[in-house]
C-alpha cells in the first residue's frame, strides 16, 4: 500500500503540475485556435480576402452561345467584347484575363491571355472551365438538344463490385476507402504531434531532475521503478487530457460551424466505417504514444543534463518522421509494398496500419498480428527500459547515446 501511495502521489503531482503549466494551457489554446481557423476558414477567407470579382473578357469567334456555360460567380464575371478591346484593357488592369474562343476543325480552340503570368490555381480553374465549354461546343456540332447535352454531361454508370473469391470478405466501396484514408491521415497527424510534444516532455523532465541532482534525493525514499512508472503514467494522463479537450472542441466546432453541414459530412464519413475499425484506431493511437513515452523516460535517464535531451531524442523522432512520411505516400496508393511492410513495424504501425484497415481490403488476421506486435513491443520495451532505468538514472557519463549505454553497463555490471 505504501508503494501504491507513493506512486499515486508522484502521478498526481506531475499531472497537476503539467495541467496547470502555462505551456500546456497555451499549447492547448493554440491547437484550438488552429482547429477553429480550419473549421471557419471559408468565413475567414471571405472576410480577409473578399473583394470585387475578377473580370474576364471573352472574345467569342464561334456561333456557339458560350454564355450558357460561362456563368458569373462571386470570384469572377465574364464580359463579352471584341478582339481589339482586349490588349489595352489587360494592360490597364480593367480585365484580369481574357478568353479567345475559335473553331479548329470542329473543335473549340481557346486562348487564355493575361498581362502578368497567372497563378497556378487560376490556370487550373480556367482550364477546367474551358474544358466544359469545349465539351458543350463539340456536342453542339452534332445537333444535340440542350436536354440531350445535359444528359450526356450528367450521366454516370451504375457500378457494383463483386469478388468471385467466396472465401474473401466483401470489398469496401471507394467512398469507404477514401473515408479510411482521411481518418488515418488525421490519426497520423495526431500521433506525430503528440509524440513530438510528450516525448520531449518526459525526456526533459527526467533529464532536468537528474541534472539538478534532485532525483538523487527523491530516490532515497522512492524506488527507481516507481519513479519510472509515475513519469510514464503521469505524462500519458496529461496527453489524454489534452486529447479529450481537443476532441471535445473539435466536436463542438463541427456541430456549430457552417450551419451543421460539416457535422453531417463527418457523421456520414464515420457511418461508412465499422466499430471494429475505430477500436483498432484508438488502440494503435494510445499504444503508440505510450511506447514513445517509455522510450523517452529511458532516454532521459541516460543524459547527465537537460541540454543533452535533444540529442538522445533524435532517433525516436526520426522513427516517427519516417512513419509519418510513409503514411503520406499511402494517401495516393495504400496498397503498396512499402505500406504493407511498415504497417507491421511497431514504431510506425500506429500511423500506417489504420490506413490499411480503412483504405484496403485487408485480411482480418493482419491487423491482429500488427496490433499484437505493437503490444508485445510495448511490454518488452517497458521491462527492458525499467531494468535499464534502474542502472542509468544515477549514472553520469559523457558522449553519445551509444557511449552512455556502454558506460551504464560498464559501471553497473
Amino acid at each position: 500500500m505504501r508503494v501504491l501511495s507513493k506512486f499515486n502521489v508522484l502521478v498526481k503531482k506531475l499531472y497537476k503540475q503539467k495541467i496547470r503549466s502555462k505551456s500546456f494551457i497555451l499549447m492547448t489554446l493554440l491547437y484550438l485556435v488552429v482547429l477553429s481557423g480550419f473549421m471557419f476558414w471559408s468565413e475567414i477567407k471571405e472576410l480577409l480576402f473578399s473583394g470585387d470579382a475578377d473580370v474576364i473578357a471573352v472574345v467569342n469567334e464561334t456561333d456557339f452561345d458560350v454564355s450558357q456555360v460561362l456563368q458569373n460567380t462571386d470570384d469572377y464575371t465574364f464580359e463579352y467584347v471584341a478582339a481589339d478591346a482586349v490588349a489595352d484593357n489587360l494592360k490597364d488592369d480593367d480585365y484580369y484575363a481574357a478568353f479567345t474562343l475559335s473553331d479548329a476543325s470542329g473543335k473549340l480552340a481557346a486562348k487564355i491571355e493575361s498581362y502578368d503570368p497567372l497563378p497556378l490555381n487560376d490556370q487550373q480553374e480556367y482550364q477546367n472551365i474551358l474544358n466544359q465549354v469545349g465539351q458543350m461546343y463539340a456536342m453542339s456540332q452534332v445537333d444535340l438538344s440542350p436536354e440531350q447535352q445535359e444528359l450526356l454531361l450528367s450521366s454516370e454508370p451504375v457500378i457494383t463490385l463483386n469478388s468471385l473469391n467466396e472465401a474473401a470478405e466483401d470489398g469496401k466501396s471507394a467512398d469507404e476507402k477514401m473515408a479510411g484514408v482521411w481518418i488515418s491521415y488525421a490519426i497520423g497527424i495526431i500521433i506525430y504531434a503528440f509524440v513530438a510534444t510528450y516525448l520531449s516532455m518526459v525526456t526533459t523532465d527526467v533529464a532536468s531532475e537528474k541534472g539538478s541532482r534532485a532525483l538523487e534525493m527523491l530516490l532515497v525514499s522512492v524506488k527507481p521503478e516507481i519513479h519510472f512508472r509515475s513519469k510514464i503514467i503521469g505524462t500519458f494522463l496529461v496527453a489524454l487530457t489534452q486529447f479529450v479537450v481537443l476532441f471535445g472542441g473539435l466536436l463542438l466546432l463541427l456541430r456549430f460551424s457552417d450551419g451543421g453541414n460539416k457535422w453531417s459530412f463527418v457523421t456520414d464519413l464515420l457511418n461508412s466505417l465499422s466499430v471494429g475499425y475505430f477500436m483498432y484506431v484508438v488502440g494503435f493511437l494510445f499504444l503508440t504514444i505510450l511506447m514513445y513515452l517509455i522510450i523517452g523516460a529511458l532516454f532521459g535517464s541516460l543524459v547527465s543534463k537537460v541540454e543533452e535531451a535533444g540529442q538522445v531524442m533524435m532517433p525516436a523522432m526520426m522513427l516517427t518522421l519516417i512513419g509519418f512520411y510513409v503514411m503520406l505516400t499511402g494517401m495516393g496508393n495504400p496498397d503498396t509494398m512499402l505500406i504493407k511492410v511498415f504497417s507491421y513495424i511497431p514504431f510506425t504501425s500506429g500511423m500506417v496500419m489504420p490506413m490499411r484497415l480503412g483504405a484496403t481490403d485487408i485480411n482480418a488476421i493482419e491487423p491482429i498480428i500488427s496490433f499484437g506486435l505493437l503490444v508485445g513491443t510495448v511490454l518488452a520495451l517497458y521491462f527492458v527500459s525499467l531494468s535499464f532505468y534502474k542502472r542509468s538514472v544515477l549514472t553520469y557519463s559523457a558522449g553519445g547515446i551509444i557511449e552512455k549505454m556502454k558506460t551504464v553497463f560498464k559501471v553497473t555490471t
Side-chain angles (χ1 to χ4, degrees):
M1 291 296 294
R2 289 187 60 188
V3 171
L4 185 59
S5 176
K6 292 178 180 179
F7 172 77
N8 290 336
V9 169
L10 289 175
V11 170
K12 289 180 181 179
K13 180 182 177 182
L14 174 63
Y15 179 77
K16 291 179 179 180
Q17 177 188 358
K18 296 301 180 184
I19 290 296
R20 296 171 180 173
S21 66
K22 292 181 180 179
S23 60
F24 177 85
I25 296 173
L26 291 175
M27 186 60 67
T28 304
L29 290 175
L30 178 61
Y31 283 144
L32 289 173
V33 169
V34 172
L35 288 175
S36 301
F38 179 77
M39 290 293 106
F40 293 100
W41 175 245
S42 57
E43 291 84 353
I44 295 173
K45 181 180 178 182
E46 183 177 354
L47 179 64
L48 296 178
F49 305 107
S50 61
D52 296 334
D54 293 327
V55 179
I56 300 176
V58 179
V59 180
N60 187 9
E61 299 176 353
T62 69
D63 296 330
F64 178 64
D65 182 15
V66 298
S67 61
Q68 60 181 318
V69 186
L70 298 178
Q71 302 288 332
N72 293 338
T73 68
D74 294 335
D75 296 324
Y76 43 77
T77 58
F78 296 101
E79 185 174 317
Y80 299 89
V81 299
D84 57 1
V86 170
D88 290 338
N89 283 299
L90 283 174
K91 187 176 182 179
D92 295 337
D93 204 26
D94 294 328
Y95 299 146
Y96 180 67
F99 298 163
T100 301
L101 310 178
S102 59
D103 180 84
S105 302
K107 295 182 179 181
L108 182 71
K111 179 173 66 174
I112 303 175
E113 294 178 291
S114 63
Y115 186 73
D116 295 315
L118 292 172
L120 176 60
N121 288 341
D122 290 340
Q123 290 179 0
Q124 293 175 333
E125 187 172 1
Y126 295 164
Q127 288 172 2
N128 290 334
I129 293 172
L130 292 173
N131 284 337
Q132 296 177 11
V133 177
Q135 291 175 348
M136 298 293 290
Y137 181 78
M139 287 187 286
S140 70
Q141 302 302 302
V142 292
D143 297 325
L144 294 178
S145 66
E147 293 77 11
Q148 290 172 323
Q149 294 178 9
E150 183 65 26
L151 178 63
L152 288 175
L153 289 173
S154 62
S155 61
E156 295 181 359
V158 179
I159 301 174
T160 57
L161 299 175
N162 183 34
S163 176
L164 299 180
N165 183 2
E166 297 180 357
E169 297 181 359
D170 294 336
K172 300 182 181 73
S173 66
D175 291 339
E176 291 173 332
K177 290 182 178 180
M178 283 307 301
V181 167
W182 287 110
I183 290 178
S184 61
Y185 178 64
I187 293 300
I189 293 176
I190 292 172
I191 289 177
Y192 181 77
F194 272 65
V195 167
T197 300
Y198 291 98
L199 174 70
S200 174
M201 180 184 292
V202 71
T203 304
T204 52
D205 272 0
V206 176
S208 177
E209 291 180 356
K210 184 178 178 180
S212 65
R213 303 298 174 115
L215 194 55
E216 295 181 8
M217 295 182 287
L218 179 62
L219 293 181
V220 173
S221 58
V222 177
K223 293 182 179 179
E225 54 264 32
I226 296 176
H227 184 263
F228 178 74
R229 284 195 294 266
S230 68
K231 284 295 181 184
I232 294 172
I233 299 302
T235 308
F236 182 78
L237 290 176
V238 175
L240 184 61
T241 301
Q242 189 175 57
F243 177 82
V244 171
V245 172
L246 295 178
F247 188 73
L250 178 61
L251 291 180
L252 290 175
L253 290 171
L254 288 171
R255 187 67 182 87
F256 296 105
S257 66
D258 197 21
N261 292 330
K262 290 186 175 69
W263 177 261
S264 300
F265 172 77
V266 171
T267 52
D268 292 340
L269 188 71
L270 298 180
N271 288 333
S272 65
L273 299 169
S274 65
V275 175
Y277 172 77
F278 289 104
M279 292 177 64
Y280 271 119
V281 165
V282 172
F284 275 107
L285 170 64
F286 290 116
L287 275 177
T288 301
I289 294 174
L290 182 61
M291 177 180 63
Y292 279 101
L293 290 180
I294 294 172
I295 296 174
L298 171 63
F299 284 173
S301 69
L302 290 172
V303 301
S304 301
K305 49 187 177 180
V306 71
E307 290 80 5
E308 299 175 350
Q311 177 186 356
V312 296
M313 284 192 297
M314 189 58 65
M317 290 303 303
M318 289 300 298
L319 287 174
T320 59
L321 194 62
I322 290 171
F324 184 74
Y325 278 113
V326 169
M327 182 269 296
L328 288 181
T329 64
M331 295 286 290
N333 182 11
D335 293 294
T336 63
M337 183 57 66
L338 181 69
I339 295 293
K340 292 179 181 179
V341 171
F342 277 85
S343 68
Y344 289 103
I345 300 174
F347 300 102
T348 57
S349 61
M351 298 184 184
V352 182
M353 181 53 79
M355 176 169 287
R356 290 194 64 201
L357 272 168
T360 66
D361 298 313
I362 191 174
N363 193 298
I365 194 64
E366 294 185 54
I368 295 176
I369 294 174
S370 178
F371 192 77
L373 288 173
L374 179 58
V375 171
T377 302
V378 170
L379 291 174
L381 276 173
Y382 171 76
F383 289 110
V384 171
S385 298
L386 178 58
S387 175
F388 204 85
Y389 190 87
K390 295 176 184 178
R391 301 180 178 188
S392 60
V393 73
L394 294 179
T395 303
Y396 299 86
S397 60
I401 185 171
I402 302 299
E403 288 77 8
K404 292 178 183 294
M405 288 184 175
K406 290 180 179 179
T407 301
V408 170
F409 278 114
K410 183 178 180 181
V411 172
T412 59
T413 55

